[in-house]
Amino acid sequence: GRGGFGKGSGGMDPELAPNNGLLGVAALNVSNSTQVLEGRWTKIGTRKQDEAMRKLGLSRVFRRAANLLSGLEIKSSSSRFQVVSKGPLAVSIVEEYPMDGRVVTHSRRDKRSGPHRGRLKSVTPGSATIEVSWGEPHGGYLLETFRLNPDNPNVLEVISDIRVDKDAVTGEKNPPFFRYSVEYERASGSSHGAQSQLQSQSQS
């Protein structure tokens, strides 16, 4: 789910380290595995996303704004995996991760101070997982998997497993992982395949 997130303790999770040689395969083959995810997607449903945002202490106003992010666009090339979350009035969140698994920084999705650090953790045919870590305030750790519905390739499932340093609702420290998800359908006129724009950018 992409509504506002980012690990705690002010440092990088031990698991969140550069993965030199992601999957042990050529970057181009990794890109081919993610091409089926490419295209424009429209949100059709969520499961437990609001509960996850509450655990992060996000306000009602922010949660409403996050719910307005109803569009998603995925592009990939031999070197990059890019996800753009889109909302009304040209509001968008753009994140780009190297195909070789190197750690990069982005602004936090919850708009709080400080960056989040993330990487492309794994890629399988029809699926890609991003790993994200961020510190205080409200630090946390997120595994976010993009995968096609096995019964319908025109439905994209974004499954998020989040761990917060402290549950803002219950006050519990280091609670178990919490799973929430968002479903999207392929936008009209959008089809998967190589994104020529991103490909050409990466080759320039």
Side-chain angles (χ1 to χ4, degrees), residues 116-133:
H116 84 224
R117 288 173 283 186
R119 68 177 176 119
L120 188 62
K121 181 177 174 66
S122 64
V123 174
T124 60
S127 174
T129 297
I130 293 171
E131 182 180 35
V132 175
S133 172

Side-chain angles (χ1 to χ4, degrees), residues 1 41-42 45 64 70 79 82 122 131 147 155 159 167 175 188 204:
W41 302 87
T42 302
R64 286 178 176 174
S70 58
S79 61
Q82 184 186 83
S122 64
E131 182 180 35
R147 72 181 189 190
V155 172
I159 300 169
D167 189 319
S188 177
S204 61

Side-chain angles (χ1 to χ4, degrees), residues 84-107:
V84 182
S85 300
K86 297 183 177 182
L89 302 177
V91 174
S92 65
I93 298 173
V94 181
E95 293 177 8
E96 192 172 282
Y97 298 92
M99 282 291 188
D100 62 7
R102 284 180 292 115
V103 175
V104 294
T105 61
H106 291 290
S107 298

